[in-house]
Amino acid sequence: MTSPLIELREVSRRYDDGPPALHEASLTVLPGEAVAILGPSGSGKSTLLNLLAGLDRPDTGTVTVDGVRVDQLGEAASALYRRARIGMVFQFFHLLDDLTVADNVALPARLAGLPRGEAARRAAELLQRLGIDRHARAHPGRLSGGQRQRVAVARALMNRPALLLADEPTGALDTAAGQDVSRLLTELNAEGQTVVLVTHDLALARSCTRRTIRIADGRITHDLPSRSVAPEAAR
Ligand code: ADP
């Protein structure tokens, strides 16, 4: 039997005196799956994502990713965990405009200690694979939103992550650029990349994942094939 890449067991997280942002959430994701986490604003999606990324700890329950007990990591270990095993893509790209596109993409490998030449070679390879190599020497500010998101995806793939986390990756893009990023995620998953996509966009979930987990008020309410999710689920 394949061991899960992600295993959440009865994970709860509450901020201050508020209601639980996540309540006894359990979830298993296998390597190679693409899963959408769908739910309205305030439902607990970011909380879940932060727990997977080791950016936050649950109050109770366990979070295991790629064999690592993420809920038990200290700050330094969690930074290493993210760098080595997680690629993250955000709505607003978070690229460094002082660096060229190639240097942005190479940065995670440089931070992980890869020699400059090797990091540059791998960055060039990724830029080519993602069809943005002609922009390698440009600064991100000169690119369109869709191109910037491609650069951000290249950066996220730099250290060959076990898990790609995408947080509303098309939220700041026009329709055509959004579809392009959606196709890119679909392709990466077809090549074997495990993807967790956090979104409130059902069309996006349907186009690039087969499985959709719906979350409402911090609880996982549905876990369904993406194509069978009803539109109300996103609200
Ligand atoms: P989503 O990503 O689906 O919009 P969140 O995970 O951000 O949802 O939020 C879930 C709940 O937790 C909301 O009620 C939100 O107000 C609360 N929350 C999230 N982050 C914090 C925080 N840092 N401090 C206090 N409350 C928070």
Side-chain angles (χ1 to χ4, degrees), residues 9-33:
R9 284 209 188 141
E10 307 206 339
V11 169
S12 295
R13 176 72 171 105
R14 200 175 154 182
Y15 301 98
D16 309 317
D17 293 334
L22 214 52
H23 184 72
E24 294 181 0
S26 293
L27 172 65
T28 301
V29 176
L30 298 178
E33 276 196 283

Side-chain angles (χ1 to χ4, degrees), residues 102-103 105-107 109-110 114-127 136 158:
D103 286 344
V105 174
L107 189 62
R110 295 290 292 143
L114 204 69
R116 185 182 294 274
E118 271 175 62
R121 258 194 305 282
R122 172 146 174 81
E125 221 175 82
L126 276 169
L127 287 171
M158 188 69 195

Side-chain angles (χ1 to χ4, degrees), residues 5 14 28 32 43 47 76 89-90 92-93 106 111 128 133-134 138 163 166 170 181 186 207 209 211 229 233:
L5 183 76
R14 200 175 154 182
T28 301
S43 58
T47 301
V89 180
F90 308 94
F92 294 107
F93 327 123
L111 292 172
Q128 192 172 27
D133 45 322
R134 66 185 180 285
L163 174 61
T170 63
V181 167
T186 307
S207 67
T209 68
R211 177 178 172 200
V229 176

Side-chain angles (χ1 to χ4, degrees), residues 62-202:
T62 63
V63 180
T64 309
V65 179
D66 198 23
V68 176
R69 273 292 295 276
V70 182
D71 58 290
Q72 293 182 330
L73 299 176
E75 219 166 290
S78 111
L80 285 177
Y81 155 78
R82 264 189 303 288
R83 191 184 293 158
R85 300 174 198 250
I86 305 292
M88 294 186 81
V89 180
F90 308 94
Q91 182 173 1
F92 294 107
F93 327 123
H94 296 304
L95 297 167
L96 300 176
D97 206 35
D98 291 346
L99 301 182
T100 63
V101 160
D103 286 344
N104 266 281
V105 174
L107 189 62
R110 295 290 292 143
L111 292 172
L114 204 69
R116 185 182 294 274
E118 271 175 62
R121 258 194 305 282
R122 172 146 174 81
E125 221 175 82
L126 276 169
L127 287 171
Q128 192 172 27
R129 181 171 157 210
L130 269 58
I132 37 174
D133 45 322
R134 66 185 180 285
H135 302 296
R137 296 164 75 97
H139 286 251
R142 312 284 301 220
L143 305 185
S144 71
Q147 289 165 339
R148 279 187 233 187
Q149 198 58 302
R150 282 201 163 237
V151 174
V153 171
R155 177 184 57 185
L157 296 175
M158 188 69 195
N159 290 345
R160 299 184 171 89
L163 174 61
L164 183 64
L165 292 176
D167 189 3
E168 298 285 9
T170 63
L173 302 178
D174 62 37
T175 308
Q179 284 171 349
D180 177 60
V181 167
S182 164
R183 274 194 299 273
L184 175 59
L185 293 175
T186 307
E187 282 164 24
L188 292 171
N189 176 247
E191 290 164 18
Q193 177 69 56
T194 310
V195 177
V196 169
L197 165 71
V198 169
T199 187
H200 64 268
D201 181 350
L202 177 59

